[in-house]
Amino acid sequence: MIASLRAAGGDTTEVEVKSAAGGLPASLTAILSALANQPGGGTVILGLDEQAGFRPVGLGDPQTLKQDLAAKARAFTPPARLTIDDGVVDGAPIVVARVHECDRSAKPCRVTATGTAYLRGYDGDYALSDVEEQGFLAARRPPLFDRAPVEDATVDDLDTELVDAFLATVRERDPAGLGHFPDDAELLRRGGVTVAGGQPTVAGLLALGVHPQQWFPRYVIQAAAQPLPTDSAATRARNQVTISGSIPRMLDTALLWARRSFDTAIVSEPDGTVHDRPAYPLVAFRELVANALVHRDLDHWSAGLAVEVRLRRDRLVVSNPGGLYGITVDRLGRDAVASARNATLVAIYQHVRSPQTDARVIEALASGIPTVTEALADHGLPPAHYVDSGIRFTVVLHQPTTVTNATSAEPELSAAERRVYQALTGQGRTVNELAEQLGLTGPNLRKTLRNLRGRGLVAQHGGRGRTTTYQRTNP
């Protein structure tokens, strides 16, 4: 864990490090609440200095720190559950506290004295709002909101073009199942688009509606880009838009926004062709926005919240109300788990296509995250950073950090290449060892290692029946 923190250069959403040289820091109150509310919980490490590369500070009395931690755990409602252990880093003692996730039926975990609960975001801990608290309460029961009929809506509020395409696709791809119903109205009802009498459901209106925002004004995408350095000081944002319509039409419009907003480089390929290369791969952006639209929370508490897309100078952030459902962050892209918060909406969207590109909106095959991972690696970008606060899910894509490699004639490394390079030691590491330490997949690691080998920074040893290891050429 410490090696991963040093490679990343900072805390993560799952791990918080404090020096605690003068005792328990006051900020630990918010941290313990936030980690208890976070899916999977987290870990607090006391006795390391983050600013000094996570080196030990030399705890004078670890036993007192452990006792103070145990006492502090009782200052929450419900009490925070901790497993506290001793550890050793570089020969010095540290204290490691595993913060267990609070039971879903008791969330949120609050500071008893103030009644405040905290959430952990990709950019820090923050106090829970009243609306977000409703999200935790709503999560105590199965999400069925997408099945409900929409009051005052009629079949005339469905988009004829989208409905016709949906019916044709169902009958082509599922002729023995849903597609075997010859009557259009019956097929729409049995497919969850409408209820008896033709009234659209929430899922049906979002998927195939003419203008769902007539009933759900905030079921939109709010996108904006950070001002450029050349913009005036009064410029607060650029390319700021609110994207409305049915989900497939919102997705198409979001891609148009990305093409206008992403920086673009002119790149020449080895075969001599020249093309534009956006700062972020559009296929990855499409997958992330589609997931945000289809898997966002649809319950009453989140009715005032939009899907948000924020383009910063060094990162792209896509966020939606509602945390992961049926899967945890550490399993994203690793297990073939196709969980669905909005099961009816997902079932409809397996047969919905983009009006502009005729591409499927989603596949429901758990292939979206691997597609994002592969696209980012092909683009030379670091892996996506996924943050699940329990009631909000955020994905952060980072631009590579250009650094100077003092031990090599090659001057520049991407962030992913730098992480792998720094993790290599003089005796060499296997792909499995690097994958476990850095949290990267084998294919991405092998591609990064090939790039480093091609630049003469890494040497490969073994192969042909022997263990294959990699090490720096200049350890």
Side-chain angles (χ1 to χ4, degrees):
M1 187 181 292
I2 302 303
S4 297
L5 291 170
R6 287 172 176 170
D11 292 331
T12 69
T13 52
E14 296 80 25
V15 183
E16 183 75 34
V17 175
K18 296 293 181 183
S19 68
L24 290 184
S27 61
L28 208 58
T29 299
I31 292 167
L32 291 178
S33 170
L35 290 177
N37 287 324
Q38 178 171 273
T43 302
V44 173
I45 300 176
L46 305 179
L48 300 178
D49 186 349
E50 178 180 350
Q51 302 303 318
F54 297 99
R55 299 301 172 188
V57 299
L59 294 177
D61 191 355
Q63 186 62 30
T64 297
L65 276 179
K66 291 191 292 181
Q67 292 172 351
D68 291 346
L69 265 175
K72 196 171 192 64
R74 295 191 290 273
F76 298 90
T77 305
R81 294 185 298 118
L82 307 182
T83 300
I84 305 173
D85 293 303
D86 293 303
V88 176
V89 173
D90 298 342
I94 63 169
V95 174
V96 182
R98 172 67 180 164
V99 185
H100 299 279
E101 179 184 359
C102 180
D103 189 272
R104 176 174 293 186
S105 65
K107 284 185 180 181
C109 176
R110 307 173 180 277
V111 182
T112 303
T114 64
T116 306
Y118 291 86
L119 284 181
R120 197 158 176 84
Y122 76 94
D123 52 356
D125 304 315
Y126 60 94
L128 197 69
S129 69
D130 291 340
V131 171
E132 290 168 328
E133 180 177 341
Q134 293 300 313
F136 276 116
L137 299 178
R140 296 179 182 180
R141 57 185 183 272
L144 302 174
F145 190 72
D146 61 336
R147 303 182 186 182
V150 179
E151 186 177 357
D152 297 331
T154 70
V155 70
D156 293 333
D157 294 307
L158 297 178
D159 187 316
T160 303
E161 179 185 6
L162 294 177
V163 170
D164 289 345
F166 171 78
L167 293 170
T169 302
V170 169
R171 290 187 170 119
E172 175 188 351
R173 295 186 172 273
D174 191 18
L178 182 59
H180 90 279
F181 296 104
D183 181 72
D184 290 351
E186 184 178 8
L187 190 153
L188 292 174
R189 178 173 62 83
R190 293 184 180 273
V193 177
T194 63
V195 295
Q199 188 177 24
T201 62
V202 172
L205 203 59
L206 292 176
L208 307 174
V210 174
H211 188 63
Q213 288 72 30
Q214 178 179 344
W215 293 270
F216 311 109
R218 298 295 292 164
Y219 287 7
V220 296
I221 303 173
Q222 286 193 320
Q226 186 175 8
L228 298 172
T230 54
D231 291 331
S232 69
T235 303
R236 300 178 64 180
R238 62 186 179 90
N239 289 1
Q240 183 174 2
V241 297
T242 298
I243 301 172
S244 61
S246 61
I247 290 179
R249 297 194 187 279
M250 283 198 288
L251 185 57
D252 286 342
T253 304
L255 281 171
L256 294 176
W257 177 88
R259 291 188 175 97
R260 294 195 310 268
S261 303
F262 291 175
D263 290 337
T264 303
I266 300 176
V267 180
S268 60
E269 298 291 351
D271 61 2
T273 59
V274 179
H275 61 87
D276 292 338
R277 184 184 182 93
Y280 300 95
L282 294 178
V283 63
F285 177 77
R286 184 189 184 280
E287 288 289 343
L288 295 177
V289 173
N291 283 344
L293 290 170
V294 174
H295 296 296
R296 65 154 290 163
D297 191 281
L298 298 176
D299 210 339
H300 298 287
W301 74 270
S302 63
L305 303 175
V307 169
E308 295 183 357
V309 176
R310 296 290 181 265
L311 178 62
R312 309 294 187 187
R313 293 173 191 170
D314 62 343
R315 63 191 184 274
L316 173 67
V317 182
V318 180
S319 180
N320 63 269
L324 292 176
Y325 185 78
I327 192 171
T328 55
V329 166
D330 61 311
R331 295 172 62 197
L332 282 175
R334 299 176 182 269
D335 296 352
V337 178
S339 60
R341 170 186 300 280
N342 305 310
T344 301
L345 185 59
V346 169
I348 293 172
Y349 262 106
Q350 293 181 69
H351 304 290
V352 174
R353 293 183 173 274
S354 161
Q356 293 187 9
T357 64
D358 197 40
R360 287 189 179 191
V361 174
I362 62 170
E363 295 182 0
L365 297 175
S367 61
I369 298 302
T371 297
V372 171
T373 302
E374 181 178 354
L376 293 175
D378 290 342
H379 222 69
L381 296 178
H385 181 202
Y386 301 102
V387 182
D388 179 18
S389 71
I391 58 172
R392 176 164 288 274
F393 183 66
T394 303
V395 185
V396 186
L397 305 185
H398 290 279
Q399 282 295 308
T401 303
T402 301
V403 298
T404 299
N405 179 7
T407 63
S408 168
E410 296 290 344
E412 295 181 352
L413 295 176
S414 71
E417 290 170 341
R418 185 187 184 194
R419 287 185 66 199
V420 174
Y421 184 81
Q422 290 179 339
L424 294 173
T425 58
Q427 68 267 29
R429 308 293 297 280
T430 67
V431 169
N432 287 340
E433 290 171 340
L434 290 169
E436 183 176 354
Q437 175 181 336
L438 302 177
L440 301 176
T441 62
N444 286 332
L445 267 173
R446 291 185 178 91
K447 180 171 182 176
T448 301
L449 288 166
R450 284 197 301 270
N451 292 340
L452 292 172
R453 284 177 56 206
R455 300 173 66 177
L457 302 178
V458 168
Q460 177 181 332
H461 303 283
R464 294 186 179 275
R466 295 179 296 161
T467 301
T468 301
T469 61
Y470 299 86
Q471 66 182 134
R472 301 183 191 180
T473 54
N474 267 316

